[in-house]
Amino acid sequence: MIERLSVIGVGLIGGSLALALKAAGYCRHITGVGRDAGRLAQAQQAGVIDDYTTDYAQGVSDADIVCIAVPLNASLEVFKKIHGHLKDGAVLTDAGSAKACVLDDISKAFGQVPDTFVPGHPIAGTEKSGFEAAIAELYQGRRVILTPVEHTASAAVTTVRNMWEAAGAVVETTDVAHHDRVLAATSHLPHLLAFGLVDSLAKQKDVDEIFRFAAGGFRDFTRIAAADPTMWRDICLRNSGPILEALHDYRLDLDELAAAIETSDGDALTEIFMRAKRARDKFNG
Amino acid sequence: MIERLSVIGVGLIGGSLALALKAAGYCRHITGVGRDAGRLAQAQQAGVIDDYTTDYAQGVSDADIVCIAVPLNASLEVFKKIHGHLKDGAVLTDAGSAKACVLDDISKAFGQVPDTFVPGHPIAGTEKSGFEAAIAELYQGRRVILTPVEHTASAAVTTVRNMWEAAGAVVETTDVAHHDRVLAATSHLPHLLAFGLVDSLAKQKDVDEIFRFAAGGFRDFTRIAAADPTMWRDICLRNSGPILEALHDYRLDLDELAAAIETSDGDALTEIFMRAKRARDKFNG
């Protein structure tokens, strides 16, 4: 049970966490913190948060848990604004899609990574954004990955784990570098590929017909290209190393595919497609 | 209304057409034609076809419409088997995902493209295959693209159009080259990208964790990688020109994306992602 939670960044992710904890009766009071008083007021009217402030220092000063759910490019600024204003023993966590960059930011802002900071990443979301899209069920059965560092206080990890479990999530822990590498491969790269495909088609002259002739598979494949451009720009900039690695490996695989097609190597194509289908079927079932 | 239809290749596509026409009361008798008597007998027992034969010549001899729904690599052989055995005035059509190669096949087998042949492509399907996956609703509201050549008899085009509309489809016509180019971009390329991504992930050592951490977007993105490897091998081999072109253009776009990430060019990334999101949102709504 949480007495007071402060959510910095009341969008889809922060708003859904607030709604989920309210629905679970796991949190008594939730303060929304952000730059836009108008939006925060709307979020309060919508019942997503209990009150709000644009004063970051005051907004976190009596919180037991502070959850930062802002675009990755905003986290450094947020850490600077709240540094020195957290209550003793308050637990700090975040919801960024990449973790090494967030640890860089907090050590820049705090001088070191505090024992009470638990880097977190809820693997959930939709192509929508903003608190209007927030739903209490967003985290039901979804994974949340925590990437504590060596000196992170285990009590803080437990507090954050309990919070996400109360919100319905399945919590796992792994190390920072591994998280960033795996997410680059399974989430960041696919988004790049989908954005890239839709963009390259959108640039063609008969774009309307191209999209009209597109089948359901294309719809599924490109749904993630409707995701928030700013958020994905930040992810690309802040997790660039692992993403570029994944993109590099992937382009080698594409070269292999292109070569097999150029040389009409049906066996090579079948082998690649079979291996992929086996993996996909296994992943599915 | 069709008196007698012969479906060569009673799988997902041919089987669903048979079921749809039966459900619509648009076809009195449907003969299944193929190589595997055992499978055809099962399809008959399942009520997908009325009778069947493995003798292609006999199977098409009294059909008013013959629809070929076999993998692209099998169509030449099928055309050879039925050449000279069609009833006078019988209309011939197919359901291949690429059209130039099918026209090559039939002119090889028939000496020329007959006026009564209407190349067709139902843009429908699932990642499943086989008549067991066939459903009468598969074509409801889905597009079927016909690519008649200059000397194709308009009466034959009308007959095939009416058949697909009776099955619930929306029928369009376009020229062969354009069809193959657009489908390469919107269907064949996305399948290659999904197969390639799943395969490159499946080759990594911590594959189980990689897939466990994968979010819903990845699931959608890679669903098409569960498609039939043989069918997709054939598509790659038989529509290689347009596919390689689309793949080439796409890789240039990926290079652009990689360069923007390497140089931390946030504006370029935002522009690409915004353009893609606008196109995707428009396509969606």
Side-chain angles (χ1 to χ4, degrees):
Chain A
M1 179 70 183
I2 307 169
E3 272 307 313
R4 299 185 72 89
L5 170 73
S6 287
V7 174
I8 302 179
V10 185
L12 170 68
I13 296 300
S16 294
L17 175 62
L19 289 173
L21 294 178
K22 280 282 178 188
Y26 192 77
C27 187
R28 205 174 312 278
H29 187 90
I30 301 180
T31 299
V33 183
R35 290 168 309 181
D36 186 337
R39 295 279 300 154
L40 288 164
Q42 291 169 24
Q44 182 187 27
Q45 284 149 28
V48 176
I49 48 177
D50 298 312
D51 59 17
Y52 65 90
T53 175
T54 58
D55 179 335
Y56 288 63
Q58 183 213 313
V60 301
S61 56
D62 58 2
D64 304 294
I65 303 184
V66 174
C67 181
I68 298 171
V70 300
L72 287 172
N73 270 9
S75 49
L76 175 59
E77 182 197 5
V78 168
F79 285 132
K80 285 177 177 167
K81 285 178 174 172
I82 65 173
H83 177 46
H85 301 288
L86 292 164
K87 191 170 75 174
D88 277 356
V91 171
L92 182 60
T93 187
D94 80 309
S97 310
K99 305 276 37 117
C101 59
V102 173
L103 286 161
D104 290 347
D105 290 343
I106 196 167
S107 40
K108 275 203 196 79
F110 282 57
Q112 66 182 37
V113 177
D115 302 358
T116 53
F117 176 61
V118 182
H121 176 203
I123 302 183
T126 70
E127 63 272 30
K128 303 198 195 69
S129 55
F131 73 83
E132 297 89 343
I135 51 170
E137 303 72 28
L138 185 64
Y139 303 114
Q140 279 301 331
R142 308 304 294 275
R143 280 195 165 66
V144 171
I145 306 178
L146 306 180
T147 62
V149 296
E150 222 169 293
H151 64 274
T152 307
S154 58
V157 176
T158 304
T159 300
V160 174
R161 171 187 292 273
N162 292 342
M163 176 186 75
W164 282 113
E165 286 177 351
V170 178
V171 179
E172 307 215 24
T173 62
T174 187
D175 69 86
V176 173
H178 186 251
H179 168 278
D180 288 357
R181 191 178 68 77
V182 170
L183 269 291
T186 57
S187 172
H188 308 168
L189 177 60
H191 276 80
L192 277 181
L193 300 180
F195 276 124
L197 179 69
V198 174
D199 184 47
S200 63
L201 296 186
K203 284 184 292 190
Q204 298 189 33
K205 56 185 187 316
D206 51 354
V207 54
D208 287 350
E209 190 173 34
I210 284 177
F211 284 135
R212 206 170 72 249
F213 284 1
F218 178 80
R219 200 168 290 113
D220 286 347
F221 183 91
T222 58
R223 192 175 53 77
I224 54 182
D228 176 27
T230 307
M231 172 186 163
W232 282 96
R233 176 203 64 195
D234 289 4
I235 289 172
C236 289
L237 296 174
R238 302 304 308 278
N239 197 35
S240 55
I243 289 174
L244 286 170
E245 248 177 70
L247 191 51
H248 173 79
D249 295 348
Y250 182 69
R251 280 149 83 201
L252 293 182
D253 288 314
L254 279 191
D255 294 343
E256 207 184 304
L257 270 170
I261 295 172
E262 272 158 1
T263 59
S264 301
D265 186 345
D267 294 345
L269 290 170
T270 306
E271 192 191 332
I272 295 169
F273 296 167
M274 296 270 270
R275 212 161 42 203
K277 179 178 170 53
R278 265 197 306 273
R280 184 58 176 76
D281 288 343
K282 182 179 164 213
F283 166 67
N284 225 7
Chain B
M1 177 71 183
I2 306 168
E3 272 306 313
R4 298 186 72 89
L5 170 73
S6 287
V7 174
I8 302 180
V10 185
L12 170 68
I13 296 300
S16 294
L17 175 62
L19 289 172
L21 295 177
K22 280 283 179 188
Y26 191 78
C27 188
R28 205 175 312 279
H29 187 89
I30 301 179
T31 299
V33 184
R35 291 169 309 182
D36 186 335
R39 295 278 301 155
L40 288 164
Q42 292 170 22
Q44 182 186 28
Q45 285 150 28
V48 177
I49 48 177
D50 298 313
D51 60 15
Y52 67 89
T53 174
T54 57
D55 179 334
Y56 287 62
Q58 183 213 312
V60 300
S61 56
D62 57 2
D64 304 294
I65 304 184
V66 174
C67 181
I68 298 171
V70 300
L72 288 171
N73 270 9
S75 51
L76 175 59
E77 181 198 7
V78 168
F79 285 131
K80 286 178 175 168
K81 285 178 173 172
I82 66 173
H83 176 46
H85 301 290
L86 293 163
K87 193 170 73 174
D88 277 357
V91 171
L92 183 61
T93 187
D94 80 309
S97 312
K99 306 279 30 123
C101 58
V102 173
L103 286 160
D104 290 346
D105 291 342
I106 196 167
S107 41
K108 276 204 196 79
F110 282 57
Q112 66 182 37
V113 177
D115 304 356
T116 53
F117 176 61
V118 182
H121 176 202
I123 303 183
T126 69
E127 62 271 31
K128 302 196 195 71
S129 56
F131 72 83
E132 297 88 344
I135 53 171
E137 303 72 28
L138 185 65
Y139 303 113
Q140 280 302 330
R142 308 303 295 275
R143 281 195 162 68
V144 172
I145 305 177
L146 306 181
T147 62
V149 296
E150 224 169 294
H151 64 274
T152 307
S154 59
V157 177
T158 304
T159 301
V160 174
R161 173 188 291 275
N162 293 342
M163 175 185 77
W164 282 114
E165 286 176 351
V170 178
V171 179
E172 307 213 23
T173 62
T174 188
D175 69 86
V176 175
H178 185 252
H179 168 278
D180 288 356
R181 192 178 65 79
V182 170
L183 268 292
T186 58
S187 171
H188 308 167
L189 177 60
H191 276 81
L192 278 182
L193 300 180
F195 276 125
L197 179 69
V198 174
D199 185 46
S200 62
L201 296 186
K203 284 185 292 190
Q204 298 189 33
K205 58 185 185 314
D206 52 355
V207 54
D208 288 350
E209 191 172 31
I210 284 177
F211 285 136
R212 204 169 72 249
F213 284 1
F218 178 81
R219 199 169 291 111
D220 287 346
F221 183 90
T222 58
R223 177 173 297 112
I224 53 182
D228 177 26
T230 307
M231 172 185 163
W232 282 96
R233 176 204 62 196
D234 289 2
I235 290 172
C236 289
L237 296 174
R238 301 307 306 280
N239 198 35
S240 55
I243 289 174
L244 287 170
E245 248 177 69
L247 191 51
H248 173 79
D249 296 348
Y250 181 68
R251 279 150 82 202
L252 294 181
D253 288 313
L254 280 192
D255 294 344
E256 205 184 305
L257 269 171
I261 296 173
E262 272 157 1
T263 60
S264 301
D265 186 344
D267 295 345
L269 291 170
T270 306
E271 192 191 331
I272 294 169
F273 296 166
M274 295 270 270
R275 214 161 42 203
K277 179 177 172 54
R278 266 196 306 273
R280 183 58 176 80
D281 288 343
K282 182 180 165 211
F283 167 66
N284 224 9

